[in-house]
Amino acid sequence: MNKREDSDKLRTLLKQLSGVAEEYGKKDTLEKVGNAITQIEETTSVLFCGEFKRGKSSIVNAIIGEKVCPTDVGIATSVVTLIRYGNERKAFRYHGNLSSMFLKESGIEWERIVEKDEIRWEEVEEYVMGKEDGEGEEKDDTILVELFCPVPFLQGGITVIDTPGIGGLDPRHAILTQMVLPRADVIVFVVDSGEPLTQSEKKFYKDKVVSCGKKNLVLVNKSDMLSVDQLKTHIHEIELSLADIQPAEIVPVSAINWNNYIRYKKEEFRAVSNNDKVLAAITSSVEASKKERLKVLRDMIMVEVEDISAAVTTEVEQLRSDEKQKGQAIVKLQQQQSDLLQFRTEIKDPTSEIRLQINAIFENARNSVGGKLAHEGTILTTTEFDALLEDKKALEDNGRWLVAQLNDRIENLSRGIEREMNHAFEEISKRMEAEIGGLMNGEAFVLSDNLRGNNIVNSQLAFSIAGKVMTGSIIGSIAAVGMEVLIPGIGWLAGVATAAALIWKQVSREVQQQKKAALRQQLLPKINLVLTDMRNQVNTRFAVFNQNLLQVLQTMASETQQKLNNLQVSITNSRTSQQAGNNRIVILEQRKKFLDNLSTQMKLLYTKPFVNVK
């Protein structure tokens, strides 16, 4: 099957629907779907992750066919590395304040926070490993390195992502990896044949890899260290260990033999490396990921087709009514027109009752979250901090235990505040549904949970057949992985990671000669800085949500005008002569047949060609 067959079929269906879509106000929506199809065709990201020293970078080098990622006896990879296709070699590094990058998702120009510099190809290893240059200037503020090189494997639109290993002492590594995981299309989890799957690996696979809901596979590196029977046993043990989480596709690989084959071109290295099966598994996962993302787009087209079809059916039923029913229908339409006019006026007026109620709901939610953060932060810096400082372990190991305990509490606090915000956003959406429904004489509206996302791409709230707001996070999530997606907002955990690194760097140097008073003096200001950062992030998240809310209201007002126009057409048509009405019915019946046929074709795509999607 042609790899583009699925997308070509969807594009053909969109083309068939284009004329009708424009008449019913769906043109912009379907154009965005078409753009998303093109993005899926052009870009798929494959991310490699796992505990440190599992050979991720060596595998990436083997796939690329040259050493683009550093490998070392110690921890080599300290930043995220993106490798894309390019006609010539180019390298860029992104650096800056890691904890502030979440602002990018808020629509703020993140280039003001994170800087991009072109670097020499020979310098890539220094920045990826976070080394210092000869004059002592630190390079560990690098967040991401982006490489372009003419590699055939990447020419089809694959972006390979190498990530820092998890499980090391530097929390920044884990945060960077977790930052890009949800943005990848395919996740490759690398483990070692030399030891059983650890509990931390199993937890990471469950909580971070599987939870993303993306295509994933497991590579067992250093497979040449075991005999054939030993390798089979080892793979079987991994299968059993992961079975209660999610059945995984497991493929053995020997990165060292793969790279030796690239270097020496000897067939025995290639055979032992198992590179053919690894590339086949990755390619298969890439194609499956594309199909799944196309399936989401297909479902979106189905919703639009059903919406238009329902509108056609409604109009036909109105035209078929007798004179008395036509008169009643006209009165009803005029009342609906009046209701819509009132609705549009209320939504557009910032001083209207509905807008004031929405503002009050919003402020109450923000004050509630802010109050919780203030309360929990006070407890952390007083009662909890004092209890930890009095613990007999507080001064052990240069205060490392104390810092770890504080980091855990800060992380738990940030997660709790994140949950509170999500709950607040959900409550705001529900209250808005009720308020808008009341304004429109009880007509049902549903605000999508995606309203709390940071990027509104498409809104279909007003008067779609299901009454939904689709804020565009579906299209956003299936869009191509560019820099604007792969350098997203960090949110809470990035702030925690940055604070943790800063705290540890100072405490590790000073704690040996400090006692409790010195620890208090050193740690409390830094904890308060973290709490201040959280407060700022809470305010920013609510500000962004409020902006998105206003955009949704503006879109609703705009779509209300479109609905008014459509109703006016319906009223006019209802007043035409019987012959004109009959002619209109013929046109609409033909259109309904066309839409039913189109819907049938769309339903066939559930099993063909998507039948092989796992």
Side-chain angles (χ1 to χ4, degrees), residues 200-218:
S200 60
E201 285 178 311
K202 187 174 179 180
K203 178 176 175 56
F204 182 85
Y205 181 76
K206 176 182 178 181
D207 296 344
K208 305 302 180 183
V209 177
V210 175
S211 65
C212 290
K214 307 296 180 63
K215 297 298 297 183
N216 69 82
L217 61 96
V218 178

Side-chain angles (χ1 to χ4, degrees), residues 388-396 399-402 519:
L388 289 172
L389 195 59
E390 292 302 320
D391 194 288
K392 62 182 181 180
K393 298 180 182 178
L395 299 180
E396 291 181 2
R400 188 170 184 172
W401 177 87
L402 178 59
L519 282 173

Side-chain angles (χ1 to χ4, degrees), residues 197-264:
L197 202 65
T198 65
Q199 286 301 315
S200 60
E201 285 178 311
K202 187 174 179 180
K203 178 176 175 56
F204 182 85
Y205 181 76
K206 176 182 178 181
D207 296 344
K208 305 302 180 183
V209 177
V210 175
S211 65
C212 290
K214 307 296 180 63
K215 297 298 297 183
N216 69 82
L217 61 96
V218 178
L219 293 187
V220 183
N221 193 21
K222 306 174 187 177
S223 61
D224 56 302
M225 303 299 293
L226 301 179
S227 67
V228 174
D229 290 338
Q230 289 174 330
L231 184 59
K232 287 182 179 179
T233 300
H234 186 70
I235 291 176
H236 181 64
E237 290 174 350
I238 294 176
E239 289 175 341
L240 292 177
S241 182
L242 298 180
D244 60 335
I245 301 174
Q246 175 180 285
E249 179 182 4
I250 302 173
V251 182
V253 62
S254 172
I256 188 171
N257 280 288
W258 194 344
N259 283 294
N260 283 338
Y261 170 68
I262 294 171
R263 182 181 302 174
Y264 302 113

Side-chain angles (χ1 to χ4, degrees), residues 466-497:
K468 297 180 293 184
V469 171
M470 301 171 62
T471 59
S473 59
I474 293 177
I475 291 180
S477 68
I478 59 181
V481 178
M483 289 311 305
E484 67 279 1
V485 176
L486 287 169
I487 309 181
I490 301 300
W492 305 109
L493 293 180
V496 173

Side-chain angles (χ1 to χ4, degrees), residues 241-501:
S241 182
L242 298 180
D244 60 335
I245 301 174
Q246 175 180 285
E249 179 182 4
I250 302 173
V251 182
V253 62
S254 172
I256 188 171
N257 280 288
W258 194 344
N259 283 294
N260 283 338
Y261 170 68
I262 294 171
R263 182 181 302 174
Y264 302 113
K265 305 300 181 184
K266 292 186 178 181
E267 185 63 23
E268 57 266 30
F269 289 133
R270 187 196 66 79
V272 175
S273 72
N274 201 37
N275 67 328
D276 290 343
K277 291 186 178 179
V278 173
L279 290 176
I282 293 174
T283 301
S284 175
S285 295
V286 167
E287 292 305 313
S289 173
K290 288 182 178 180
K291 286 179 181 291
E292 288 179 347
R293 289 182 284 159
L294 289 171
K295 183 177 178 180
V296 173
L297 293 180
R298 178 204 56 212
D299 293 343
M300 294 178 65
I301 300 173
M302 285 286 292
V303 170
E304 303 305 328
V305 171
E306 292 170 0
D307 196 0
I308 296 172
S309 181
V312 171
T313 299
T314 299
E315 189 174 354
V316 169
E317 290 174 351
Q318 292 171 351
L319 290 172
R320 280 178 172 163
S321 62
D322 58 25
E323 291 300 323
K324 181 178 180 180
Q325 290 173 329
K326 280 187 177 181
Q328 294 173 345
I330 290 174
V331 172
K332 182 179 179 180
L333 289 172
Q334 288 174 331
Q335 180 59 50
Q336 187 178 6
Q337 190 176 46
S338 175
D339 292 342
L340 289 172
L341 185 60
Q342 177 190 355
F343 174 75
R344 185 189 63 180
T345 302
E346 292 284 335
I347 288 297
K348 293 180 67 174
D349 182 6
T351 64
S352 67
E353 182 179 353
I354 180 65
R355 289 288 295 273
L356 293 176
Q357 289 175 348
I358 291 172
N359 290 340
I361 294 169
F362 177 83
E363 288 300 324
N364 288 339
R366 180 164 61 181
N367 292 338
S368 176
V369 173
K372 179 177 177 60
L373 177 57
H375 176 71
E376 297 293 336
T378 300
I379 293 176
L380 175 62
T381 55
T382 56
T383 307
E384 290 192 13
F385 184 86
D386 291 342
L388 289 172
L389 195 59
E390 292 302 320
D391 194 288
K392 62 182 181 180
K393 298 180 182 178
L395 299 180
E396 291 181 2
D397 195 14
N398 294 330
R400 188 170 184 172
W401 177 87
L402 178 59
V403 172
Q405 296 299 311
L406 289 171
N407 285 339
D408 286 344
R409 283 159 173 78
I410 291 172
E411 182 174 349
N412 289 335
L413 174 58
S414 69
R415 292 184 185 279
I417 295 302
E418 179 75 13
R419 287 192 296 269
E420 287 289 325
M421 282 197 298
N422 289 337
H423 177 71
F425 296 156
E426 182 177 353
E427 287 301 311
I428 292 173
S429 297
K430 290 180 179 178
R431 290 291 299 276
M432 280 189 63
E433 291 168 12
E435 296 293 343
I436 293 173
L439 183 64
M440 290 302 297
N441 296 325
E443 183 173 350
F445 288 88
V446 177
L447 289 181
S448 169
D449 290 340
N450 294 323
L451 177 61
R452 59 174 176 266
N454 288 326
N455 181 26
I456 292 182
V457 177
N458 171 36
S459 174
Q460 290 292 324
L461 173 62
F463 319 112
S464 69
I465 199 64
K468 297 180 293 184
V469 171
M470 301 171 62
T471 59
S473 59
I474 293 177
I475 291 180
S477 68
I478 59 181
V481 178
M483 289 311 305
E484 67 279 1
V485 176
L486 287 169
I487 309 181
I490 301 300
W492 305 109
L493 293 180
V496 173
T498 303

Side-chain angles (χ1 to χ4, degrees), residues 505-514 518 522 526:
K505 283 182 180 179
Q506 293 197 15
V507 170
S508 62
R509 292 193 295 264
E510 299 173 2
V511 72
Q512 292 181 357
Q513 299 181 12
Q514 297 292 333
Q522 288 291 323
K526 295 175 177 60

